[in-house]
Amino acid sequence: MRRICLLISSRKIDNRKRSHQECLVEGYIRDTKCEDLAIKEKLERLCKTTTVKTRYTVMSKEILEKYPELVTECSPTIKQRLEIANPAVVQMALEASLACVKEWGRSVEDITHIVYVSSSEIRLPGGDLYLASQLGLRNDVGRVMLYFLGCYGGVTGLRVAKDIAENNPGSRVLLTTSETTIIGFRPPSKARPYDLVGAALFGDGAAAAIVGANPLPGKESPFMELNYAVQQFLPGTQNVIDGRLTEGGINFKLGRDLPQKIEENIEGFCRKLMSKSGVSEFNDLFWAVHPGGPAILNRLESTLKLSSEKLECSRRALMDYGNVSSNTVIYVIEYMREQLKKSGEEWGLALAFGPGITFEGILLRSL
């Protein structure tokens, strides 16, 4: 039986676009020309509760000067948003992929498949083709494009890459995720309260990983095994996370019962994943959980009675980058690499939650 390994993961983020959370409110209120003091005060409260300290964004002063209509309420700007987002997400994916391949140490010609994940671009052909071309991949590289999965897209990408590697001996799969909030940036409105949550929580970025089986001795250094994967949706919850593409960009609504729905179903889902490991206690695992927000992490920690350090990597990723949608779980796993050198757990879980409500999970084994 071939062991499917996460060979290397990396990310590349442009430090020139780093923003500190304490500066966000004044900048957002200024850029959107908002004069409502109540909205400003609410955003200040939200920024404090998210626990986010820094984020990275594509949005800039230059973009707003070129596209002032982005801050005009109800303006049909989907064309302009895609003019910005389409090349931006590929550029971020390119930087992450190049950093990943460099650390992997082999040639891009050895990449046989690419799995491209994004909820931030729309076009035909998709970003997978543009990325493959700019990386110089072979023209017979197998491409899979996963669009608009939201926050669980990174774990889905790992599962799909695992499936490809299992069924194609000798394959090396490049997984790349890339997201920007440009597609949903807009001025605040009391009619859309979730826009403020998005402004306080979400960030931009990209991530990449190489997945394959039977690593080459002396040439590849896997650090984690992708052992077993499960995806599950909760019937009747499709409106709890609701996203709609409109002429003014993408609109999201989150139900207040999202943390509760996750809390009610998470233990059984984790038990299903754990069944393949022989581990029965949650605190004997390491945890790479997509940090959708502090409320979800707090509910997970409380429901499963996890010790406080178990979600440290998830909380750290949220603090350093915000919720970067599909990318974030890769950031968590990268932090986990260093932590596992000290803590020593063998088995762990990668988890993410998104529209559906969809649970996506992978049983991991540290190598």
Side-chain angles (χ1 to χ4, degrees):
M1 179 179 176
R2 297 188 301 277
R3 292 200 306 174
I4 307 305
C5 299
L6 188 64
L7 298 173
I8 196 71
S9 70
S10 186
R11 63 191 185 285
K12 178 69 168 64
I13 299 173
D14 190 340
N15 288 327
R16 291 172 298 173
K17 298 167 185 175
R18 185 184 187 194
S19 60
H20 293 272
Q21 190 79 336
E22 61 264 26
C23 302
L24 179 136
V25 176
E26 291 298 332
Y28 179 72
I29 295 298
R30 180 193 65 241
D31 292 342
T32 59
K33 300 179 175 60
C34 176
E35 298 179 353
D36 190 320
L37 184 60
I39 286 179
K40 180 181 178 182
E41 291 175 348
K42 183 175 182 179
L43 182 58
E44 288 174 340
R45 292 194 301 271
L46 285 169
C47 284
K48 291 177 181 178
T49 60
T50 61
T51 72
V52 177
K53 299 297 183 185
T54 54
R55 283 182 289 174
Y56 298 80
T57 59
V58 170
M59 179 59 77
S60 65
K61 178 182 177 182
E62 292 74 19
I63 288 175
L64 287 174
E65 288 176 349
K66 184 176 180 180
Y67 300 97
E69 59 271 29
L70 293 179
V71 295
T72 302
E73 183 65 32
C74 299
S75 178
T77 52
I78 189 63
K79 177 177 181 292
Q80 294 92 323
R81 294 172 190 276
L82 293 178
E83 284 178 0
I84 304 165
N86 286 344
V89 293
V90 170
Q91 180 60 34
M92 290 189 293
L94 177 66
E95 293 175 0
S97 298
L98 288 172
C100 181
V101 171
K102 181 179 180 180
E103 192 170 354
W104 176 40
R106 293 180 61 183
S107 169
V108 293
E109 294 182 355
D110 294 328
I111 295 173
T112 59
H113 298 77
I114 183 171
V115 178
Y116 180 92
V117 183
S118 182
S119 297
S120 304
E121 68 155 86
I122 307 167
R123 57 178 163 176
L124 295 174
D128 61 323
L129 182 78
Y130 290 96
L131 179 61
S133 298
Q134 292 181 35
L135 282 172
L137 302 185
R138 298 166 3 199
N139 66 359
D140 64 347
V141 65
R143 307 186 333 263
V144 175
M145 187 167 60
L146 301 175
Y147 266 9
F148 285 93
L149 300 183
C151 291
Y152 69 87
V155 183
T156 303
L158 286 171
R159 173 172 56 81
V160 172
K162 173 183 181 296
D163 290 346
I164 292 172
E166 281 179 330
N167 290 284
N168 294 271
S171 62
R172 290 296 179 264
V173 186
L174 171 65
L175 165 66
T176 181
T177 61
S178 188
E179 307 286 3
T180 175
T181 52
I182 290 282
I183 201 75
F185 179 88
R186 61 178 52 81
S189 169
K190 290 181 178 178
R192 298 188 309 273
Y194 181 66
D195 284 0
L196 289 182
V197 178
L201 183 63
F202 285 90
D204 300 355
I210 298 287
V211 176
N214 300 329
L216 299 177
K219 291 186 177 182
E220 295 175 319
S221 302
F223 67 91
M224 200 166 285
E225 176 185 319
L226 307 178
N227 186 276
Y228 173 60
V230 175
Q231 184 191 73
Q232 177 179 312
F233 72 92
L234 306 183
T237 64
Q238 61 268 27
N239 294 323
V240 176
I241 305 175
D242 186 65
R244 303 294 173 92
L245 190 63
T246 71
E247 290 185 350
I250 194 164
N251 293 329
F252 278 108
K253 294 180 181 178
L254 288 187
R256 292 182 179 273
D257 56 344
L258 175 60
Q260 179 182 345
K261 294 291 186 185
I262 292 175
E263 179 183 8
E264 291 171 351
N265 293 275
I266 189 60
E267 182 171 355
F269 183 73
C270 291
R271 293 284 181 198
K272 184 183 296 185
L273 285 164
M274 293 167 61
S275 66
K276 303 290 184 179
S277 69
V279 177
S280 59
E281 297 296 327
F282 290 129
N283 278 299
D284 290 338
L285 299 167
F286 61 86
W287 294 80
V289 181
H290 167 76
I296 291 176
L297 294 179
N298 293 342
R299 288 288 188 99
L300 187 72
E301 184 177 279
S302 174
T303 300
L304 302 182
K305 297 180 173 57
L306 299 178
S307 55
S308 59
E309 74 275 7
K310 289 297 179 178
L311 298 182
E312 179 182 338
C313 291
S314 295
R315 296 189 188 279
R316 182 179 167 193
L318 181 64
M319 180 176 68
D320 291 347
Y321 300 100
N323 182 339
V324 202
S325 193
S326 65
N327 303 306
T328 327
V329 74
I330 306 296
Y331 298 176
V332 176
I333 289 173
E334 184 141 324
Y335 282 149
M336 187 65 64
R337 292 174 69 182
E338 297 304 315
Q339 181 169 298
L340 286 173
K341 293 177 183 179
K342 303 173 185 177
S343 61
E345 295 100 335
E346 180 181 9
W347 293 95
L349 300 181
L351 301 174
F353 320 101
I357 297 171
T358 300
F359 284 26
E360 189 85 58
I362 297 182
L363 176 65
L364 304 172
R365 187 178 185 185
S366 178
L367 299 177

PDB file of all heavy atoms in Angstrom, residues 62 111 118 138-139 145 148 153 160 183 238 249 262 269 282 293 302 315 323 343 350 360:
ATOM      1  N   GLU A  62      -3.982  52.709  -4.754  1.00  0.00           N
ATOM      2  CA  GLU A  62      -3.915  52.826  -6.216  1.00  0.00           C
ATOM      3  C   GLU A  62      -5.129  52.178  -6.881  1.00  0.00           C
ATOM      4  O   GLU A  62      -5.672  52.714  -7.853  1.00  0.00           O
ATOM      5  CB  GLU A  62      -2.627  52.187  -6.737  1.00  0.00           C
ATOM      6  CG  GLU A  62      -1.346  52.906  -6.367  1.00  0.00           C
ATOM      7  CD  GLU A  62      -0.945  52.720  -4.910  1.00  0.00           C
ATOM      8  OE1 GLU A  62      -1.429  51.757  -4.263  1.00  0.00           O
ATOM      9  OE2 GLU A  62      -0.154  53.548  -4.418  1.00  0.00           O
ATOM     10  N   ILE A 111       6.148  17.750 -11.891  1.00  0.00           N
ATOM     11  CA  ILE A 111       4.759  17.903 -11.442  1.00  0.00           C
ATOM     12  C   ILE A 111       3.842  17.314 -12.504  1.00  0.00           C
ATOM     13  O   ILE A 111       3.855  17.731 -13.664  1.00  0.00           O
ATOM     14  CB  ILE A 111       4.423  19.385 -11.196  1.00  0.00           C
ATOM     15  CG1 ILE A 111       5.258  19.918 -10.024  1.00  0.00           C
ATOM     16  CG2 ILE A 111       2.921  19.563 -10.910  1.00  0.00           C
ATOM     17  CD1 ILE A 111       5.129  21.405  -9.808  1.00  0.00           C
ATOM     18  N   SER A 118      -9.893  28.226  -5.589  1.00  0.00           N
ATOM     19  CA  SER A 118     -10.134  29.661  -5.381  1.00  0.00           C
ATOM     20  C   SER A 118     -11.632  29.951  -5.375  1.00  0.00           C
ATOM     21  O   SER A 118     -12.389  29.351  -6.140  1.00  0.00           O
ATOM     22  CB  SER A 118      -9.448  30.500  -6.466  1.00  0.00           C
ATOM     23  OG  SER A 118      -9.640  31.882  -6.225  1.00  0.00           O
ATOM     24  N   ARG A 138       4.450  21.052 -17.795  1.00  0.00           N
ATOM     25  CA  ARG A 138       4.226  20.334 -19.050  1.00  0.00           C
ATOM     26  C   ARG A 138       2.807  20.574 -19.531  1.00  0.00           C
ATOM     27  O   ARG A 138       1.889  20.751 -18.729  1.00  0.00           O
ATOM     28  CB  ARG A 138       4.439  18.831 -18.822  1.00  0.00           C
ATOM     29  CG  ARG A 138       5.839  18.497 -18.403  1.00  0.00           C
ATOM     30  CD  ARG A 138       6.018  17.085 -17.852  1.00  0.00           C
ATOM     31  NE  ARG A 138       4.861  16.213 -17.865  1.00  0.00           N
ATOM     32  CZ  ARG A 138       4.774  15.126 -17.110  1.00  0.00           C
ATOM     33  NH1 ARG A 138       5.740  14.832 -16.260  1.00  0.00           N
ATOM     34  NH2 ARG A 138       3.730  14.347 -17.177  1.00  0.00           N
ATOM     35  N   ASN A 139       2.618  20.559 -20.849  1.00  0.00           N
ATOM     36  CA  ASN A 139       1.269  20.834 -21.370  1.00  0.00           C
ATOM     37  C   ASN A 139       0.322  19.646 -21.212  1.00  0.00           C
ATOM     38  O   ASN A 139      -0.871  19.769 -21.495  1.00  0.00           O
ATOM     39  CB  ASN A 139       1.315  21.313 -22.823  1.00  0.00           C
ATOM     40  CG  ASN A 139       1.816  20.248 -23.787  1.00  0.00           C
ATOM     41  OD1 ASN A 139       2.158  19.137 -23.378  1.00  0.00           O
ATOM     42  ND2 ASN A 139       1.882  20.589 -25.058  1.00  0.00           N
ATOM     43  N   MET A 145      -9.761  22.081 -11.207  1.00  0.00           N
ATOM     44  CA  MET A 145     -10.072  23.406 -10.712  1.00  0.00           C
ATOM     45  C   MET A 145     -11.252  23.308  -9.746  1.00  0.00           C
ATOM     46  O   MET A 145     -12.320  22.805 -10.096  1.00  0.00           O
ATOM     47  CB  MET A 145     -10.413  24.327 -11.888  1.00  0.00           C
ATOM     48  CG  MET A 145     -10.591  25.776 -11.531  1.00  0.00           C
ATOM     49  SD  MET A 145     -10.606  26.826 -13.008  1.00  0.00           S
ATOM     50  CE  MET A 145     -12.012  26.140 -13.897  1.00  0.00           C
ATOM     51  N   PHE A 148     -15.233  28.175  -5.667  1.00  0.00           N
ATOM     52  CA  PHE A 148     -16.311  28.604  -4.772  1.00  0.00           C
ATOM     53  C   PHE A 148     -16.711  27.547  -3.740  1.00  0.00           C
ATOM     54  O   PHE A 148     -17.881  27.296  -3.512  1.00  0.00           O
ATOM     55  CB  PHE A 148     -17.526  29.080  -5.577  1.00  0.00           C
ATOM     56  CG  PHE A 148     -17.295  30.443  -6.182  1.00  0.00           C
ATOM     57  CD1 PHE A 148     -16.790  30.561  -7.465  1.00  0.00           C
ATOM     58  CD2 PHE A 148     -17.535  31.576  -5.443  1.00  0.00           C
ATOM     59  CE1 PHE A 148     -16.528  31.813  -8.000  1.00  0.00           C
ATOM     60  CE2 PHE A 148     -17.284  32.828  -5.979  1.00  0.00           C
ATOM     61  CZ  PHE A 148     -16.781  32.958  -7.261  1.00  0.00           C
ATOM     62  N   GLY A 153     -12.249  24.753   1.238  1.00  0.00           N
ATOM     63  CA  GLY A 153     -11.596  24.408  -0.023  1.00  0.00           C
ATOM     64  C   GLY A 153     -10.184  23.879   0.119  1.00  0.00           C
ATOM     65  O   GLY A 153      -9.748  23.038  -0.667  1.00  0.00           O
ATOM     66  N   VAL A 160      -8.501  15.816  -2.693  1.00  0.00           N
ATOM     67  CA  VAL A 160      -8.451  15.525  -4.128  1.00  0.00           C
ATOM     68  C   VAL A 160      -7.020  15.191  -4.552  1.00  0.00           C
ATOM     69  O   VAL A 160      -6.788  14.253  -5.333  1.00  0.00           O
ATOM     70  CB  VAL A 160      -9.009  16.714  -4.931  1.00  0.00           C
ATOM     71  CG1 VAL A 160      -8.782  16.514  -6.428  1.00  0.00           C
ATOM     72  CG2 VAL A 160     -10.508  16.895  -4.645  1.00  0.00           C
ATOM     73  N   ILE A 183     -13.281  40.636  -4.330  1.00  0.00           N
ATOM     74  CA  ILE A 183     -14.552  40.231  -4.933  1.00  0.00           C
ATOM     75  C   ILE A 183     -15.742  40.623  -4.058  1.00  0.00           C
ATOM     76  O   ILE A 183     -16.877  40.742  -4.547  1.00  0.00           O
ATOM     77  CB  ILE A 183     -14.546  38.699  -5.196  1.00  0.00           C
ATOM     78  CG1 ILE A 183     -15.579  38.313  -6.252  1.00  0.00           C
ATOM     79  CG2 ILE A 183     -14.702  37.907  -3.946  1.00  0.00           C
ATOM     80  CD1 ILE A 183     -15.174  38.656  -7.643  1.00  0.00           C
ATOM     81  N   GLN A 238     -28.249  24.442   4.173  1.00  0.00           N
ATOM     82  CA  GLN A 238     -27.622  25.113   3.041  1.00  0.00           C
ATOM     83  C   GLN A 238     -27.721  26.632   3.092  1.00  0.00           C
ATOM     84  O   GLN A 238     -26.967  27.329   2.399  1.00  0.00           O
ATOM     85  CB  GLN A 238     -28.201  24.595   1.710  1.00  0.00           C
ATOM     86  CG  GLN A 238     -29.682  24.818   1.540  1.00  0.00           C
ATOM     87  CD  GLN A 238     -30.510  23.639   2.014  1.00  0.00           C
ATOM     88  OE1 GLN A 238     -30.095  22.884   2.885  1.00  0.00           O
ATOM     89  NE2 GLN A 238     -31.685  23.468   1.413  1.00  0.00           N
ATOM     90  N   GLY A 249     -20.657  42.371  -6.830  1.00  0.00           N
ATOM     91  CA  GLY A 249     -19.679  41.505  -6.180  1.00  0.00           C
ATOM     92  C   GLY A 249     -20.368  40.350  -5.480  1.00  0.00           C
ATOM     93  O   GLY A 249     -21.547  40.083  -5.707  1.00  0.00           O
ATOM     94  N   ILE A 262     -22.055  23.452  14.150  1.00  0.00           N
ATOM     95  CA  ILE A 262     -20.769  22.756  14.162  1.00  0.00           C
ATOM     96  C   ILE A 262     -20.592  22.011  15.476  1.00  0.00           C
ATOM     97  O   ILE A 262     -20.185  20.841  15.499  1.00  0.00           O
ATOM     98  CB  ILE A 262     -19.620  23.759  13.924  1.00  0.00           C
ATOM     99  CG1 ILE A 262     -19.701  24.305  12.485  1.00  0.00           C
ATOM    100  CG2 ILE A 262     -18.271  23.095  14.163  1.00  0.00           C
ATOM    101  CD1 ILE A 262     -18.697  25.393  12.182  1.00  0.00           C
ATOM    102  N   PHE A 269     -18.274  13.452  13.722  1.00  0.00           N
ATOM    103  CA  PHE A 269     -17.425  13.558  12.531  1.00  0.00           C
ATOM    104  C   PHE A 269     -15.970  13.229  12.869  1.00  0.00           C
ATOM    105  O   PHE A 269     -15.308  12.466  12.156  1.00  0.00           O
ATOM    106  CB  PHE A 269     -17.525  14.971  11.958  1.00  0.00           C
ATOM    107  CG  PHE A 269     -16.759  15.172  10.691  1.00  0.00           C
ATOM    108  CD1 PHE A 269     -17.206  14.636   9.492  1.00  0.00           C
ATOM    109  CD2 PHE A 269     -15.589  15.918  10.678  1.00  0.00           C
ATOM    110  CE1 PHE A 269     -16.496  14.823   8.311  1.00  0.00           C
ATOM    111  CE2 PHE A 269     -14.875  16.112   9.506  1.00  0.00           C
ATOM    112  CZ  PHE A 269     -15.332  15.569   8.318  1.00  0.00           C
ATOM    113  N   PHE A 282      -9.343  12.637  22.330  1.00  0.00           N
ATOM    114  CA  PHE A 282      -9.125  13.818  21.496  1.00  0.00           C
ATOM    115  C   PHE A 282      -7.816  14.525  21.839  1.00  0.00           C
ATOM    116  O   PHE A 282      -7.142  15.064  20.961  1.00  0.00           O
ATOM    117  CB  PHE A 282     -10.297  14.794  21.648  1.00  0.00           C
ATOM    118  CG  PHE A 282     -11.578  14.308  21.040  1.00  0.00           C
ATOM    119  CD1 PHE A 282     -12.746  14.321  21.779  1.00  0.00           C
ATOM    120  CD2 PHE A 282     -11.616  13.826  19.741  1.00  0.00           C
ATOM    121  CE1 PHE A 282     -13.945  13.875  21.229  1.00  0.00           C
ATOM    122  CE2 PHE A 282     -12.795  13.373  19.181  1.00  0.00           C
ATOM    123  CZ  PHE A 282     -13.958  13.399  19.917  1.00  0.00           C
ATOM    124  N   GLY A 293     -13.204  31.640  12.757  1.00  0.00           N
ATOM    125  CA  GLY A 293     -13.367  32.753  13.669  1.00  0.00           C
ATOM    126  C   GLY A 293     -13.169  32.245  15.071  1.00  0.00           C
ATOM    127  O   GLY A 293     -13.201  31.031  15.322  1.00  0.00           O
ATOM    128  N   SER A 302     -14.304  23.658  23.557  1.00  0.00           N
ATOM    129  CA  SER A 302     -15.181  23.344  24.687  1.00  0.00           C
ATOM    130  C   SER A 302     -15.898  22.000  24.496  1.00  0.00           C
ATOM    131  O   SER A 302     -15.943  21.173  25.416  1.00  0.00           O
ATOM    132  CB  SER A 302     -16.211  24.462  24.855  1.00  0.00           C
ATOM    133  OG  SER A 302     -17.156  24.136  25.844  1.00  0.00           O
ATOM    134  N   ARG A 315      -5.178  29.326  16.232  1.00  0.00           N
ATOM    135  CA  ARG A 315      -5.326  30.682  16.762  1.00  0.00           C
ATOM    136  C   ARG A 315      -4.187  31.587  16.280  1.00  0.00           C
ATOM    137  O   ARG A 315      -4.397  32.775  16.029  1.00  0.00           O
ATOM    138  CB  ARG A 315      -5.372  30.634  18.287  1.00  0.00           C
ATOM    139  CG  ARG A 315      -6.586  29.880  18.834  1.00  0.00           C
ATOM    140  CD  ARG A 315      -6.711  30.035  20.345  1.00  0.00           C
ATOM    141  NE  ARG A 315      -7.742  29.170  20.893  1.00  0.00           N
ATOM    142  CZ  ARG A 315      -9.046  29.428  20.887  1.00  0.00           C
ATOM    143  NH1 ARG A 315      -9.480  30.557  20.334  1.00  0.00           N
ATOM    144  NH2 ARG A 315      -9.915  28.585  21.431  1.00  0.00           N
ATOM    145  N   ASN A 323      -8.878  35.235   8.595  1.00  0.00           N
ATOM    146  CA  ASN A 323      -9.475  34.107   7.880  1.00  0.00           C
ATOM    147  C   ASN A 323      -9.184  34.303   6.399  1.00  0.00           C
ATOM    148  O   ASN A 323      -9.713  35.212   5.771  1.00  0.00           O
ATOM    149  CB  ASN A 323     -10.980  34.065   8.136  1.00  0.00           C
ATOM    150  CG  ASN A 323     -11.669  32.890   7.465  1.00  0.00           C
ATOM    151  OD1 ASN A 323     -11.152  32.310   6.509  1.00  0.00           O
ATOM    152  ND2 ASN A 323     -12.853  32.547   7.938  1.00  0.00           N
ATOM    153  N   SER A 343       6.106  18.617  20.435  1.00  0.00           N
ATOM    154  CA  SER A 343       5.033  17.905  21.144  1.00  0.00           C
ATOM    155  C   SER A 343       5.036  16.404  20.879  1.00  0.00           C
ATOM    156  O   SER A 343       4.713  15.612  21.765  1.00  0.00           O
ATOM    157  CB  SER A 343       3.675  18.492  20.760  1.00  0.00           C
ATOM    158  OG  SER A 343       3.435  18.357  19.369  1.00  0.00           O
ATOM    159  N   ALA A 350      -6.980  17.342  10.343  1.00  0.00           N
ATOM    160  CA  ALA A 350      -7.152  18.617   9.650  1.00  0.00           C
ATOM    161  C   ALA A 350      -8.643  18.776   9.393  1.00  0.00           C
ATOM    162  O   ALA A 350      -9.279  17.880   8.817  1.00  0.00           O
ATOM    163  CB  ALA A 350      -6.374  18.640   8.336  1.00  0.00           C
ATOM    164  N   GLU A 360     -15.224  19.017   6.229  1.00  0.00           N
ATOM    165  CA  GLU A 360     -14.167  18.347   5.466  1.00  0.00           C
ATOM    166  C   GLU A 360     -13.048  18.017   6.433  1.00  0.00           C
ATOM    167  O   GLU A 360     -12.616  18.873   7.217  1.00  0.00           O
ATOM    168  CB  GLU A 360     -13.659  19.263   4.347  1.00  0.00           C
ATOM    169  CG  GLU A 360     -12.720  18.617   3.361  1.00  0.00           C
ATOM    170  CD  GLU A 360     -13.420  17.885   2.222  1.00  0.00           C
ATOM    171  OE1 GLU A 360     -14.188  18.506   1.491  1.00  0.00           O
ATOM    172  OE2 GLU A 360     -13.141  16.672   2.068  1.00  0.00           O
TER     173      GLU A 360
END
